[in-house]
């Protein structure tokens, strides 16, 4: 049985930046109105079984505490869902509601009732709380006269005397002196014996190695890796020492290609499988949950799959894949990669949903394959290949695959689609004519989220492309467009952004992709200057600059789309 | 709201906390809750009755004042306390998962607990001044209930809004003052009715606190309804406060819930 399940959990905060207010105005922080969203935690999937002890490790600010607060319920998640089976005791922030004016005893009652204990329950436990806290007579003194260690001890004692099945702790085992610490540790071991699930955020690697079964390594609000406690600790230590987890050379070895093309286009429309589970119907749900076969690019999409289980089965997973009509693999998540344990399916009917908040796909025809797989994706119970067709409405003359959220630094809106060079007349060959008619295109540089130049990027981080070009003073730039496109290394046009050229001379332009979510593999960038009036290409370099994406995500396709699984599966005894 | 029963222990503990914080340290303790409204009433009595010669016909002006000031005090201090309650309880909101509506609810409960004993003193004065007590006194609990619901609704709204918009506190001060002087509290209803056009009086009667105040006096003082120069209709006296009560509690709770979603972006700044 699982105790904690997190499904694409994320938490967004408002980052209030007090912009400079001209001197002489009031002190009121007007700048606070300009708030940016900042994701402290994103795309976290987690599965913790009962009796399992799991550590969260990572540097300060990597999202550990945010995660624990979300699980504890003190912080609502901005997206995704948290499912808990059992009561949670959070030793994150002890002594909620402590009042300095009150005595220790009064505070026990106040804090206890905040923790959800009734008055009689507190009365029953009071003796043992007092004993554990070792406060003695001080329990009747006002809390204001306590030392900070005493306050912590009191808070800890109340918290561990609460009823719970899931324990969350955050660095607080280091309360009090050595003796008290030892006692706390004994208490933790006792909980372990009682079979309580525990999630511990800590910097004490020795504790993680000795005490925990598994560990999750957090970095920048995302799970960087997870696995056996010892291995994850080693990775963390590498991360601490180097900031980058691996050197550039070894990272290049990590670049692996995801599945990028459908291999079974002739079989589209057919299905195969062993038949224990039969997929009855695949539906795309648009706005208001209405079934539809066409969407606009900004609309959210739900793919719902109805199935019927002929027999009860154990350990299975759901998969969905989205292809463009020519077979380009757009995105293919499954519940195994996302670490969601689906243990048992009973006989009967049910459905599962894949909700995609922003399908970043450009207008075109798409085909969807869905499957119910066995545990290891060796055989499918039922696999419907390309059976469901989805149209994204709109015009897309250049055949872009993705509408990536990106913008030129210093410019708000994108240009209209018709000013974009249609297909660019760029050939399959990567080549360039960078100097022509007084225009000189410089090198394309790729910058990572720290702002330094790199050629290898982690999926889901900020990504910038910096372009230099030089336009001679004699050139008439009226109607000239600067365009930058990202191609997959196999030549599929992913995304392009255009900008009007407004001045001559040396130009430096920066194209910013916040949280670029291209999946691992090789990519290339092309740059051109285009005359929109004559529809003529002036100068270009096509695919001569390359970069790689790496990720620990196993998802197939080209782009990682934020998604949420949910399901309604028939429950029933295993036959 | 369903789980209000489940959390009654906690609600009680929170109210108890506030009461203890208020009265534990001062030497006179709980007595202050009795001293303050009555001393205010004495000041108003001297000012309005002895200096400005305002008088109520059938009963002493002092009774006129305290029947207004006691319920008003309950309402105003509830709203003012609720206004700050979330921000002052950061060490609860940030640390633990509890239904946050309990905090403004506790703020109202505390003031209800403060209010009820003053009613006993009020009865003492009624008897002392030989005021004829109306037979409708049996409806007093219902009046207090409507009043409390109204207060709770407004408390929810200001508690939620204050976290996000820190201007609310000042708006509340002005609004409270305005509402107070738009009720026949420190003056009598005749003074207004004689000088203002009937259309304005109708609007005046829409003031939710005028309705509640009239109800309090109607159930306490015999013959008060007759003093309202024909405006003491069932619609003005009963339906109006009931409707306002329903509107306030529903809207207030909805506002609080809407604000609650944003608390964590604003509470610590």
């Amino acid at each position: 049985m699982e105790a904690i399940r997190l499904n694409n959990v994320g938490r967004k905060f408002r980052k209030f930046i007090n912009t400079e207010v001209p001197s002489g105005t009031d002190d009121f922080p007007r700048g606070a109105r300009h708030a940016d969203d900042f994701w402290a935690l994103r795309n976290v999937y987690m599965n913790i079984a009962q009796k399992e002890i799991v550590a969260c490790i990572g540097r300060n600010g990597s999202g550990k505490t945010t995660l624990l607060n979300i699980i504890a319920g003190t912080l609502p998640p901005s997206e995704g869902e948290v499912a808990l089976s059992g009561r949670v005791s959070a030793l994150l922030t002890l002594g909620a509601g402590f009042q300095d004016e009150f005595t220790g005893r009064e505070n026990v009652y106040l804090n206890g009732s905040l923790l959800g204990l009734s008055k009689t329950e507190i009365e029953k436990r009071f003796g043992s709380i007092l004993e554990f806290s070792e406060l003695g007579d001080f329990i009747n003194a006002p809390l204001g006269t306590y030392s900070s260690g005493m306050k912590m001890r009191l808070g800890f004692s109340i918290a561990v005397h609460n009823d719970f099945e899931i324990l969350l702790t955050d660095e607080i085992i280091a309360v009090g002196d050595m003796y008290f610490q030892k006692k706390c540790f004994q208490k933790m071991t006792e909980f372990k014996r009682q079979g309580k699930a525990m999630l511990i955020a800590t910097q004490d690697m020795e504790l993680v190695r000795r005490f925990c079964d598994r560990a999750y390594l957090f970095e920048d609000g995302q799970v960087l890796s997870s696995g056996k406690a010892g291995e994850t600790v080693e990775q963390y230590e590498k991360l601490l020492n180097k900031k980058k987890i691996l050197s550039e050379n070894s990272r290049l070895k990590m670049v692996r290609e995801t599945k990028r093309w459908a291999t079974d286009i002739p079989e589209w429309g057919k299905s195969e499988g062993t038949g224990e589970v039969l997929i009855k119907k695949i539906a795309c749900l648009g706005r208001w949950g209405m079934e539809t076969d066409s969407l606009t690019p900004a609309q959210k999409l739900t793919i719902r799959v109805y199935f019927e289980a002929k027999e009860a089965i154990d350990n299975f997973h759901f998969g969905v894949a989205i292809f463009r009509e020519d077979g380009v693999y757009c995105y293919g998540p499954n519940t195994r990669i996302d670490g969601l344990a689906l243990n048992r399916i009973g006989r009967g009917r049910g459905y599962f949903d894949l909700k995609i908040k922003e399908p970043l796909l450009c207008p075109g025809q798409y085909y969807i394959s869905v499957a119910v797989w066995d545990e290891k994706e060796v055989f499918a119970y039922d696999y419907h290949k390309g059976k469901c067709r989805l149209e994204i409405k709109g015009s897309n003359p250049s055949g872009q695959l993705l509408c990536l959220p990106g913008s030129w630094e210093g410019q708000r809106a994108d240009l209209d689609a018709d000013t974009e060079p249609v297909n660019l007349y760029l050939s399959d060959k990567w080549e360039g004519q960078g100097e022509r008619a007084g225009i000189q295109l410089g090198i394309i540089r790729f910058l990572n989220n720290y702002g330094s130049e790199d050629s290898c990027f982690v999926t889901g981080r900020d990504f910038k492309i910096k372009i230099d070009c030089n336009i001679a003073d004699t050139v008439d730039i009226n109607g000239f467009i600067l365009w930058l496109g990202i191609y997959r290394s196999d030549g599929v046009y992913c995304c392009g952004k255009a900008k009007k050229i407004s001045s001559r001379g040396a130009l430096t332009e920066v194209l910013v992709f916040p949280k670029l979510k291209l999946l691992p593999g090789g990519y290339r960038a092309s740059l051109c200057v285009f005359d929109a009036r004559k529809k003529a290409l002036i100068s270009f370099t096509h695919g001569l600059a390359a970069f790689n994406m790496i990720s620990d995500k196993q998802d197939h396709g080209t782009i990682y789309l934020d998604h949420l699984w949910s399901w309604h599966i028939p429950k029933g005894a295993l036959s | 709201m369903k789980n209000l029963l489940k959390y009654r222990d906690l609600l009680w503990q929170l109210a108890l906390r506030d009461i203890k914080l208020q009265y534990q340290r001062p030497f006179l303790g709980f007595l202050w809750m009795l001293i303050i409204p009555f001393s205010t009433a004495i000041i108003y009595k001297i000012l309005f009755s002895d200096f400005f010669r305002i008088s109520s016909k059938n009963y002493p002006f002092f009774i006129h004042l305290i029947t207004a000031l006691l319920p008003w005090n309950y309402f105003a201090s509830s709203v003012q306390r609720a206004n700050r309650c979330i921000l002052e309880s950061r060490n609860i909101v940030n640390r633990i998962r509890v239904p946050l509506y309990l905090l403004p609810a506790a703020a109202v409960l505390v003031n209800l607990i403060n209010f009820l004993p003053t009613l006993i003193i009020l009865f003492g004065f009624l008897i002392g001044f030989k005021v004829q007590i109306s037979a409708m006194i049996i409806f007093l609990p219902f009046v207090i209930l409507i009043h409390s619901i109204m207060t709770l609704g407004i408390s929810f709204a200001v508690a939620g809004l204050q976290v996000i918009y820190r201007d609310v506190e000042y708006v509340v001060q002005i609004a409270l003052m305005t509402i107070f002087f738009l009720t026949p509290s420190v003056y009598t209803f005749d003074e207004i009715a004689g000088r203002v056009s009937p259309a304005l009086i109708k609007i005046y009667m829409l003031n939710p606190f005028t309705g509640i105040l009239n109800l309090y006096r109607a159930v306490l003082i015999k013959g008060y309804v007759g003093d309202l120069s024909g405006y003491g209709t069932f619609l003005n006296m009963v339906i109006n406060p009931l409707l306002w009560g329903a509107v306030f509690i529903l809207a207030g709770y909805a506002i609080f819930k809407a604000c609650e979603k944003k608390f964590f972006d604003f509470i610590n700044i």
Side-chain angles (χ1 to χ4, degrees):
Chain A
M1 268 293 283
E2 59 189 1
I4 304 175
R5 186 179 76 214
L6 303 184
N7 191 355
N8 189 30
V9 167
R11 173 69 206 189
K12 179 171 66 176
F13 285 103
R14 278 170 175 229
K15 186 160 77 177
F16 289 101
I17 312 270
N18 287 3
T19 43
E20 293 276 320
V21 181
S23 61
T25 52
D26 46 315
D27 293 326
F28 197 75
R30 280 173 202 288
R33 293 276 163 241
H34 302 288
D36 281 343
D37 285 342
F38 149 74
W39 288 91
L41 199 67
R42 196 123 203 226
N43 304 95
V44 177
Y45 297 88
M46 204 182 256
N47 230 296
I48 295 172
Q50 277 169 3
K51 305 188 179 185
E52 208 178 8
I53 298 182
V54 177
C56 290
I57 52 179
R59 288 187 283 173
N60 286 341
S62 58
K64 303 184 297 281
T65 308
T66 309
L67 179 76
L68 291 189
N69 274 313
I70 287 173
I71 298 174
T74 39
L75 197 66
S78 307
E79 63 174 25
E81 59 179 14
V82 180
L84 302 169
S85 60
R87 269 171 299 179
V88 177
S89 178
L91 308 186
L92 304 177
T93 40
L94 299 168
F98 269 8
Q99 289 288 340
D100 280 349
E101 294 89 338
F102 290 0
T103 65
R105 183 186 296 272
E106 286 167 321
N107 273 307
V108 170
Y109 280 90
L110 182 58
N111 185 250
S113 34
L114 280 166
L115 288 171
L117 292 168
S118 75
K119 205 175 165 211
T120 45
E121 282 172 316
I122 303 170
E123 267 159 14
K124 255 185 244 159
R125 293 167 206 205
F126 188 80
S128 111
I129 291 174
L130 178 56
E131 193 189 333
F132 192 83
S133 68
E134 299 168 1
L135 283 171
D137 284 348
F138 280 103
I139 196 75
N140 290 321
L143 196 75
T145 62
Y146 285 25
S147 71
S148 57
M150 286 160 85
K151 279 184 199 169
M152 290 292 269
R153 257 152 56 193
L154 185 62
F156 189 86
S157 309
I158 307 167
V160 295
H161 283 84
N162 198 1
D163 298 318
F164 60 89
E165 283 83 39
I166 301 163
L167 185 77
L168 311 172
T169 75
D170 189 3
E171 295 291 354
I172 50 99
I173 306 162
V175 171
D177 53 18
M178 290 291 278
Y179 175 66
F180 192 76
Q181 277 184 33
K182 208 175 139 201
K183 229 168 79 168
C184 292
F185 194 74
Q186 275 167 5
K187 198 87 191 168
M188 303 280 284
T189 337
E190 191 187 314
F191 291 146
K192 189 177 179 174
R193 270 203 308 278
Q194 288 168 0
K196 308 210 163 172
M198 273 188 247
L199 187 60
I200 302 170
T202 182
Q203 299 290 355
D204 181 354
M205 291 304 127
E206 203 41 47
L207 178 83
V208 177
R209 279 209 184 88
R210 270 192 305 152
F211 195 66
C212 300
D213 305 322
R214 282 197 296 139
Y216 284 84
L217 173 57
F218 283 82
E219 172 74 359
D220 269 2
Q222 290 179 324
V223 178
L224 197 64
S225 72
S226 66
K228 290 215 175 79
E231 291 164 17
T232 316
V233 168
E234 270 170 37
Q235 275 204 309
Y236 179 43
E237 278 161 359
K238 275 184 202 156
L239 178 76
L240 278 182
N241 294 337
K242 287 197 181 149
K243 195 167 186 184
K244 291 175 190 168
I245 211 160
L246 298 163
S247 71
E248 184 148 337
N249 281 336
S250 46
R251 275 192 303 155
L252 278 173
K253 283 181 205 149
M254 269 176 71
V255 177
R256 52 185 171 74
E257 295 272 314
T258 51
K259 289 187 193 167
R260 302 197 133 188
W261 290 92
T263 50
D264 52 1
I265 301 179
E267 290 171 47
W268 278 4
K270 294 178 190 159
S271 59
E272 61 175 45
T274 54
E276 283 89 341
V277 180
L278 289 178
I279 290 167
K280 290 289 179 191
K281 190 180 164 197
I282 308 162
C284 295
L285 309 182
R287 213 177 313 185
W288 320 117
M290 302 284 283
E291 271 186 38
T292 178
D293 56 2
S294 62
L295 293 171
T296 54
Q299 247 172 325
K300 66 177 177 192
L301 166 69
T302 302
I303 297 167
R304 175 168 290 183
V305 179
Y306 296 92
F307 59 83
E308 183 179 354
K310 296 284 184 197
E311 283 169 43
I313 48 169
D314 226 357
N315 292 329
F316 60 98
H317 69 270
F318 301 126
V320 172
I322 305 171
F323 302 99
R324 196 163 70 178
E325 58 182 336
D326 59 357
V328 171
Y329 204 143
C330 303
Y331 185 47
N334 67 48
T335 52
R336 183 180 59 90
I337 293 172
D338 287 336
L340 299 172
L342 294 160
N343 296 322
R344 178 171 296 179
I345 190 167
R347 222 175 286 179
R349 286 165 184 275
Y351 65 82
F352 68 87
D353 281 344
L354 174 68
K355 290 177 194 156
I356 297 174
K357 215 190 252 169
E358 288 174 283
L360 302 169
L361 303 172
C362 282
Q365 302 287 336
Y366 295 88
Y367 288 87
I368 297 166
S369 297
V370 301
V372 181
W373 293 95
D374 74 315
E375 191 182 1
K376 296 257 159 64
E377 208 169 326
V378 178
F379 60 87
Y381 294 112
D382 199 3
Y383 183 8
H384 282 217
K385 298 172 182 171
K387 257 198 172 172
C388 180
R389 196 179 63 92
L390 176 72
E391 184 189 350
I392 308 276
K393 284 184 286 192
S395 81
N396 183 11
S398 56
Q400 251 187 113
L401 178 65
L402 305 168
C403 317
L404 294 177
S407 57
W408 296 95
E409 214 160 67
Q411 183 189 333
R412 285 228 166 150
D414 285 345
L415 281 177
D416 308 339
D418 57 325
T419 55
E420 191 189 315
V422 176
N423 248 353
L424 262 181
Y425 326 113
L426 294 180
S427 58
D428 293 339
K429 248 172 50 192
W430 304 119
E431 60 180 355
Q433 284 177 311
E435 275 190 69
R436 226 168 153 199
I439 292 170
Q440 189 183 357
L441 298 175
I443 27 168
I444 301 173
R445 280 172 294 182
F446 305 104
L447 310 180
N448 63 16
N449 56 325
Y450 300 110
S452 52
E453 207 175 322
D454 206 342
S455 65
C456 212
F457 301 91
V458 179
T459 299
R461 303 261 184 100
D462 292 350
F463 175 74
K464 287 181 186 175
I465 302 179
K466 200 172 181 184
I467 307 153
D468 293 316
C469 57
N470 201 345
I471 299 170
D473 290 339
T474 51
V475 180
D476 171 23
I477 57 164
N478 192 12
F480 275 27
I481 304 282
L482 181 70
W483 172 91
L484 188 127
I486 296 176
Y487 286 75
R488 261 174 27 181
S489 54
D490 55 3
V492 173
Y493 174 32
C494 293
C495 177
K497 300 278 174 194
K499 181 183 184 168
K500 274 202 180 83
I501 294 175
S502 51
S503 65
R504 297 187 188 86
L507 295 175
T508 302
E509 297 289 350
V510 180
L511 183 58
V512 185
F513 289 98
K515 312 282 174 204
L516 184 70
K517 289 195 171 156
L518 290 172
L519 284 169
Y523 293 86
R524 284 166 184 272
S526 303
L527 178 66
C528 82
V529 173
F530 180 78
D531 188 340
R533 289 175 306 167
K534 292 180 194 156
K535 303 262 179 228
L537 196 59
I538 314 280
S539 163
F540 69 96
T541 66
H542 181 38
L544 294 182
F547 63 97
N548 292 300
M549 301 295 296
I550 57 170
S551 169
D552 69 318
K553 291 197 169 71
Q554 309 280 311
D555 305 51
H556 307 309
T558 313
I559 176 92
Y560 181 86
L561 299 176
D562 285 336
H563 60 274
L564 183 66
W565 295 95
S566 59
W567 51 79
H568 175 80
I569 52 179
K571 292 191 173 79
L574 211 58
S575 56
Chain B
M1 280 308 230
K2 275 169 277 166
N3 46 16
L4 193 58
L5 271 181
K6 188 175 142 201
Y7 287 107
R8 62 177 192 281
D9 270 352
L10 177 54
L11 183 63
W12 180 247
Q13 284 289 339
L14 288 173
L16 205 63
R17 170 188 75 156
D18 288 353
I19 290 186
K20 276 187 190 165
L21 286 178
Q22 253 181 331
Y23 300 122
Q24 207 171 36
R25 301 284 297 149
F27 177 68
L28 286 180
F30 198 78
L31 282 177
W32 282 114
M33 213 356 91
L34 308 177
I35 296 169
I36 288 173
F38 289 103
S39 52
T40 324
I42 290 167
I43 294 167
Y44 279 140
K45 152 92 173 71
I46 294 167
L47 189 66
F48 289 96
S49 172
D50 299 347
F51 289 179
F52 292 153
R53 299 281 165 205
I54 295 174
S55 85
S56 46
K57 290 175 211 154
N58 304 324
Y59 51 91
F61 191 71
F62 185 69
I63 295 295
H64 183 82
L65 279 173
I66 56 174
T67 47
L69 285 176
L70 296 181
W72 175 259
N73 232 22
Y74 167 34
F75 170 73
S77 35
S78 292
V79 172
Q80 275 164 346
R81 180 183 283 274
N83 198 290
R84 303 182 310 256
C85 72
I86 303 282
L87 289 176
E88 280 181 0
S89 298
R90 283 192 182 109
N91 80 340
I92 293 176
V93 181
N94 278 331
R95 290 183 177 198
I96 212 157
R97 180 189 198 173
V98 286
L100 295 180
Y101 69 79
L102 290 177
L103 293 169
V108 176
L109 183 60
V110 170
N111 284 290
L112 181 64
I113 295 168
N114 285 336
F115 170 58
L116 292 178
T118 56
L119 281 183
I120 298 168
I121 313 281
L122 173 67
F123 280 116
F125 278 108
L126 286 177
I127 293 163
F129 279 101
K130 298 201 173 66
V131 176
Q132 280 189 302
I133 296 175
S134 160
M136 286 200 284
I137 189 82
I138 48 167
F139 292 116
L140 184 63
F142 294 101
V143 178
I144 296 176
L145 184 69
I146 300 171
H147 186 197
S148 301
I149 287 174
M150 218 184 244
T151 310
L152 192 61
I154 295 177
S155 298
F156 278 145
V158 296
L161 290 170
Q162 172 69 21
V163 178
I164 298 168
Y165 310 102
R166 302 288 163 94
D167 311 55
V168 171
E169 167 176 8
Y170 306 107
V171 177
V172 163
Q173 277 179 27
I174 295 169
L176 282 178
M177 197 170 65
T178 316
I179 296 172
F180 180 69
F181 285 108
L182 284 179
T183 53
S185 43
V186 291
Y187 50 86
T188 60
F189 185 71
D190 297 349
E191 303 272 335
I192 288 277
R195 294 175 198 181
V196 184
S197 76
L200 282 176
I201 288 291
K202 281 202 177 110
I203 297 170
Y204 181 86
M205 293 304 282
L206 278 179
N207 178 352
F209 199 74
T210 307
I212 275 294
L213 192 58
N214 283 333
L215 263 187
Y216 270 107
R217 286 194 186 131
V219 299
L220 290 173
I221 303 163
K222 196 177 177 187
Y224 178 73
V225 181
D227 290 350
L228 290 175
S229 8
Y231 287 98
T233 58
F234 189 70
L235 178 75
N236 278 343
M237 298 286 293
V238 182
I239 304 291
N240 172 27
L242 272 176
L243 275 180
W244 277 120
V247 168
F248 284 154
I249 191 77
L250 294 176
Y253 188 67
I255 291 172
F256 185 77
K257 278 287 157 188
C259 294
E260 198 181 357
K261 289 183 192 133
K262 297 186 197 160
F263 275 4
F264 294 93
D265 285 327
F266 291 94
I267 191 160
N268 292 316
I269 54 168

